[in-house]
Amino acid sequence: MKNIISLSASKIAEEVSSGNLKAEEVVQAHLERIKTEDPKVRAFITVLEENALAAAREIDSKRSHGKKLGKLAGVPVAVKDNILVEGVETTCASKILKGFKAPYDATITQKLKKEDAVIIGKTNLDEFAMGSSNENSAFFKTKNPWNLETVPGGSSGGSAAAVAARMAPLSLASDTGGSIRQPASFCGLVGVKPTYGAVSRYGLIAFASSLDQIGPMARSVEDAALLLSSIAGHDPKDSTSAPQAQNRFSGKPLENVRGLKIGIPREYFAEGLDPEVRKSVWNAVDYLKTLGAEVKDVTLPHTSYAVATYYIIAPSEAASNLARFDGVRYGYRAQNIKSLSELYEKSRGEGFGPEVKRRIMLGTYALSSGYYDAYYNRAQKARTLIARDFENVFKEVDFLATPTAPSVAFKFGEKSADPVAMYLSDIFTIPSNLAGNASLSIPCGLNKDHLPIGLQLIAPAFEDEKLLALAATVEKAVNFPQLN
Ligand code: GLN
């Protein structure tokens, strides 16, 4: 048997189901890897050593009693620390939630358990998923396993680093403006932001509810598809979950690329794009051309409004969602206080970090009377125009191909002093959240410093299956070298 930590999730599930491998051995191998790698990478806020071993033993005993195992039999999954796992601390990498134990499982956590996955730990993020580098975590900075001096991306940097460093074959993350795709791009992984409504958000601590979506990160398209198949589908507990949500994704390459129309939105290849990223993305597009795809220059004319629109809508929703953290109900509570308002003020003042406070202030301002029309309402109108751009372009083409991010992973400190420079890291990923369509990032090469480059593919809403198939087609040609 090959080194366990190098096996794909699909292979692990197959071997555990057929009895060639014990879930306990699989979990043990990954826990050992965490012990050697995580002190350097720091992907995990919590490692669930005992729970994971107990769950693995239970899976092994189920099998030995002749029961059929689920789709993720014995597969360790790392879960972003804004998703609830019953009885386990869930912090959102914020001081305000330190010590908060989840009273119930998120729907997707339940689904993981039902499919016999093993939750191996909770991963680091930018506080409340606000950031693009992991530097906003209140606890520590996760490093990019490809180069420890560079950021893993964010906000799901911990989930990305855990999979890239082989501490888990799969991870779950959330994407509000790029938080799955941008770290996937920086860490050389496949990261999928499914169509809005495809995966239940019940039990995900909300950042911006109209944009948040949960999705998988993996080292291959097939593995990402396996995890997505296990978590997707309609959930009556989430009112935004879509009744037509599918839960079968094969992750197999397209049978025929001939005649497929791929749009290249010119706004995504403008000034400021790293030339090496541009070249690598074009190589992937050229490959699709050689297979018979028709490549078309297209335009999404309202793209330049996307970042500004997002930074009105996301903070407005965040300001409302984060109002519940008041020092009374969850986590951190300030001491030596004299009145209720002082309790709120001090708990929030001491519990939230600077970026979260900035977003709450932006959102509260945008929603306040007198400014609502000027900011929030206009942003909603701009959002409609951005969504319409996609609707129009998808009348002409089947998919869009773009860079996932304008650059490869940057160094710690490079953007942290300038919030706008940081916000621009998501310039190519944000529009998809605003429109609610399906998009993913897939590695398409390495730059001269051996850092991964991500290709973003975008499809119309609920075309997730075809999107994964296209990604699998590209994956075969790229033959991306995973980290050892
Ligand atoms: N980086 C973006 C932000 O800071 C997106 C974050 C996310 O997708 N959660 O808001």
Side-chain angles (χ1 to χ4, degrees):
M1 176 70 53
K2 223 171 123 195
N3 194 354
I4 290 177
I5 57 156
S6 299
L7 295 177
S8 69
S10 324
K11 184 77 180 158
I12 291 174
E14 197 185 300
E15 299 289 337
V16 171
S17 291
S18 61
N20 289 337
L21 204 56
K22 288 234 173 319
E24 191 176 348
E25 286 173 76
V26 175
V27 169
Q28 200 72 59
H30 286 91
L31 287 170
E32 272 161 32
R33 178 74 170 178
I34 291 174
K35 284 202 182 109
T36 59
E37 291 304 299
D38 208 42
K40 290 179 269 175
V41 174
R42 308 211 67 193
F44 288 94
I45 292 178
T46 310
V47 178
L48 293 165
E49 182 164 352
E50 277 169 34
N51 295 18
L53 284 169
R57 284 184 202 119
E58 210 169 295
I59 293 164
D60 289 332
S61 115
K62 223 165 126 180
R63 190 186 177 278
S64 67
H65 286 91
K67 292 213 182 98
K68 191 175 176 310
L69 297 181
K71 285 204 269 287
L72 291 170
V75 178
V77 182
V79 176
K80 187 174 178 178
D81 206 20
N82 59 355
I83 295 170
L84 304 188
V85 178
E86 190 181 338
V88 170
E89 191 181 13
T90 302
T91 66
C92 285
S94 178
K95 272 198 279 189
I96 210 157
L97 277 174
K98 188 89 194 93
F100 166 70
K101 286 213 170 125
Y104 59 90
D105 271 338
T107 295
I108 56 159
T109 306
Q110 267 177 4
K111 289 193 175 193
L112 287 183
K113 291 179 178 171
K114 195 172 145 264
E115 295 298 345
D116 294 314
V118 176
I119 299 170
I120 199 152
K122 304 295 298 291
T123 56
N124 198 21
L125 62 152
D126 286 293
E127 186 175 358
F128 282 99
M130 297 173 187
S132 309
S133 67
N134 247 260
E135 291 165 290
N136 295 338
S137 166
F139 305 146
F140 50 85
K141 298 178 182 73
T142 298
K143 305 202 173 103
N144 189 325
W146 287 82
N147 176 341
L148 298 176
E149 281 167 21
T150 67
V151 304
S155 65
S156 318
S159 286
V163 176
R166 293 176 198 267
M167 296 188 273
L170 292 175
S171 65
L172 278 177
S174 62
D175 188 312
T176 306
S179 278
I180 293 176
R181 290 160 288 159
Q182 185 255 21
S185 159
F186 284 12
C187 293
L189 300 174
V190 177
V192 186
K193 183 204 86 68
T195 302
Y196 184 77
V199 177
S200 167
R201 295 183 298 111
Y202 179 75
L204 164 72
I205 297 181
F207 161 10
S209 314
S210 76
L211 302 160
D212 297 341
Q213 202 36 217
I214 292 174
M217 283 179 163
R219 295 190 295 263
S220 70
V221 176
E222 188 189 17
D223 277 4
L226 174 69
L227 183 51
L228 188 58
S229 305
S230 311
I231 59 168
H234 178 63
D235 178 15
K237 287 184 182 151
D238 171 2
S239 62
T240 61
S241 148
Q244 71 268 46
Q246 298 293 317
N247 64 356
R248 261 189 217 152
F249 306 94
S250 75
K252 297 267 180 293
L254 288 168
E255 271 169 22
N256 194 359
V257 177
R258 190 155 299 281
L260 208 69
K261 294 196 183 82
I262 313 272
I264 308 295
R266 67 181 73 120
E267 293 80 4
Y268 288 61
F269 290 83
E271 222 181 299
L273 176 62
D274 175 335
E276 282 187 276
V277 173
R278 177 194 301 264
K279 186 158 175 281
S280 188
V281 167
W282 269 111
N283 285 344
V285 172
D286 281 340
Y287 166 73
L288 289 170
K289 231 193 228 172
T290 63
L291 294 183
E294 199 183 309
V295 175
K296 279 183 86 170
D297 176 33
V298 295
T299 170
L300 295 162
H302 298 94
T303 301
S304 60
Y305 300 109
V307 173
T309 303
Y310 173 88
Y311 276 97
I312 298 290
I313 293 175
S316 298
E317 294 184 16
S320 327
N321 277 325
L322 270 53
R324 73 192 62 166
F325 303 108
D326 54 8
V328 178
R329 284 169 295 182
Y330 316 97
Y332 182 76
R333 175 180 294 209
Q335 298 303 310
N336 305 322
I337 42 114
K338 291 174 208 69
S339 67
L340 184 62
S341 58
E342 198 186 342
L343 171 69
Y344 293 160
E345 270 169 39
K346 276 207 169 156
S347 301
R348 287 169 68 84
E350 292 164 12
F352 289 133
E355 184 60 30
V356 176
K357 286 181 188 160
R358 179 166 21 244
R359 306 274 179 120
I360 292 174
M361 284 192 283
L362 277 171
T364 307
Y365 183 81
L367 290 175
S368 57
S369 116
Y371 294 102
Y372 185 94
D373 282 336
Y375 294 106
Y376 186 73
N377 246 348
R378 282 179 82 190
Q380 290 293 13
K381 287 181 187 158
R383 181 178 187 171
T384 304
L385 295 174
I386 290 161
R388 231 174 255 164
D389 280 355
F390 282 102
E391 279 166 32
N392 289 334
V393 91
F394 283 130
K395 288 180 194 147
E396 277 179 65
V397 296
D398 304 298
F399 299 100
L400 296 168
T402 81
T404 305
S407 70
V408 294
F410 44 87
K411 293 227 160 81
F412 286 98
E414 208 176 304
K415 295 183 200 270
S416 49
D418 179 355
V420 175
M422 190 68 90
Y423 295 172
L424 290 172
S425 316
D426 300 305
I427 190 160
F428 302 144
T429 45
I430 278 174
S432 236
N433 299 80
L434 290 169
N437 55 28
S439 50
L440 57 75
S441 180
I442 173 170
C444 62
L446 291 171
N447 79 349
K448 61 177 181 328
D449 299 323
H450 212 71
L451 286 171
I453 298 171
L455 163 75
Q456 177 175 236
L457 298 170
I458 309 175
F462 299 106
E463 296 286 359
D464 306 64
E465 163 70 2
K466 272 203 213 138
L467 180 68
L468 285 159
L470 177 67
T473 309
V474 175
E475 180 179 53
K476 269 208 322 211
V478 170
N479 201 7
F480 185 74
Q482 285 294 341
L483 206 54
N484 272 316

